[in-house]
Amino acid sequence: MPKILGGSLERDTTVTAENPAPALSALLRTGSQAEHTAAEGSSFMSELLAGRINAAGYAHFLGLLRRVYEALEDAARELRDDPLASAVIDPAIERLAALDADIEHWGATVVASPATDAYVARIQQSTSWGGLFIAHHYTRYLGDLSGGQAIGRIITREFDLDGAGVAFYSFDAVPKPKLYKDAYRARLDALPLGADERERILAEVKAVFGLNGGIFAEMTTYLDQYGR
Ligand code: HEM
């Protein structure tokens, strides 16, 4: 609550002068480091990046990712005018068309996935508050624009691709991912959020890493089928 001091209205706690909490972008980055490390270390990711997953396994994974991005991009349409979520929503970085092109290349697979069901349900619930959706948006798209860029190069090498099949990692509208990410972080940091709200977004980011980890864990159960 704002306090009246000497007749003037003091600034609310959402303002950093009284509130030394880190900017949202820094909070999310540092606050989810352990979860990020766990995601990087998942055995499915390690096997994939070591070139030990076959094409059928990668196609399976793309099919699951498609469901995730379909839910993300449906939610983004719903929240297009939301005062918080609209700060990050950008049709230019949407991945569904790229995923469809890749799925076509690899051969589509529709596989039942309780881990993906849980993730999609959580994305759908996140439309109840723009801040929650931001957590979902940040964790996937900023990841795709970061480590995802290196992952795309490794997939290209390991599967000996000549450009087709890795549209997911290539953002035609973003020639310089670093500049895009800097601007994205600046938009996050300009949001008028209180400390509790920022913590709620961080908690959701951690949950989103966990849901991605759930998909990796599920993929791991297929390793004997997809090894090469
Ligand atoms: C083997 C797997 C992965 C590798 C090698 C990897 C690597 C990286 C690297 C090197 C960065 C830092 C880039 C920079 O400083 O700009 C980064 C950032 C990030 N990664 Fe990953 N990553 C992996 C998996 C994931 C997964 C599964 C997710 C989430 C689903 C994810 C989400 C993120 C996010 C959100 C950032 C941005 C952090 C920030 O700057 O706020 N990463 N990743």
Side-chain angles (χ1 to χ4, degrees):
M1 282 293 290
K3 285 177 288 180
I4 309 267
L5 276 185
S8 70
L9 193 62
E10 228 183 36
R11 287 156 83 193
D12 188 299
T13 50
T14 50
V15 177
T16 48
E18 294 92 14
N19 184 355
L24 181 60
S25 65
L27 181 72
L28 299 186
R29 178 179 220 160
T30 54
S32 65
Q33 237 154 35
E35 287 75 11
H36 187 271
T37 306
E40 278 184 78
S42 82
S43 37
F44 175 69
M45 265 332 236
S46 325
E47 292 297 297
L48 178 65
L49 298 182
R52 290 195 290 265
I53 299 288
N54 64 24
Y58 188 60
H60 177 155
F61 179 56
L62 283 176
L64 304 187
L65 272 187
R66 189 195 189 283
R67 290 187 50 208
V68 169
Y69 282 84
E70 181 180 41
L72 282 172
E73 291 166 17
D74 281 350
R77 254 180 298 284
E78 200 178 320
L79 293 178
R80 195 171 35 205
D81 299 321
D82 180 87
L84 296 176
S86 59
V88 295
I89 290 171
D90 178 3
I93 61 167
E94 288 189 349
R95 298 289 80 203
L96 206 51
L99 277 168
D100 280 339
D102 288 350
I103 283 169
E104 169 108 21
H105 175 91
W106 294 91
T109 47
V110 180
V111 181
S113 167
T116 310
D117 295 343
Y119 192 173
V120 165
R122 187 88 176 205
I123 293 167
Q124 288 165 345
Q125 286 156 12
S126 79
T127 58
S128 63
W129 179 52
L132 290 179
F133 179 72
I134 285 177
H136 284 268
H137 192 279
Y138 161 84
T139 310
R140 280 295 346 173
Y141 295 97
L142 224 61
D144 298 333
L145 286 162
S146 303
Q149 298 301 290
I151 294 173
R153 287 191 291 274
I154 296 171
I155 302 272
T156 300
R157 189 185 68 213
E158 292 303 333
F159 285 102
D160 207 8
L161 302 173
D162 59 7
V166 278
F168 176 68
Y169 306 97
S170 120
F171 288 81
D172 293 342
V174 184
K176 291 193 160 53
K178 185 185 179 310
L179 294 184
Y180 190 93
K181 288 189 291 177
D182 287 347
Y184 186 105
R185 291 191 190 101
R187 292 198 300 277
L188 286 182
D189 295 343
L191 291 171
L193 295 164
D196 289 355
E197 292 173 314
R198 290 201 297 266
E199 288 299 331
R200 197 173 162 209
I201 296 174
L202 172 60
E204 188 73 4
V205 164
K206 292 182 184 191
V208 178
F209 271 106
L211 291 161
N212 279 279
I215 290 186
F216 297 153
E218 192 178 271
M219 289 302 307
T220 302
T221 65
Y222 293 93
L223 278 184
D224 54 349
Q225 202 176 320
Y226 292 145
R228 67 170 173 146

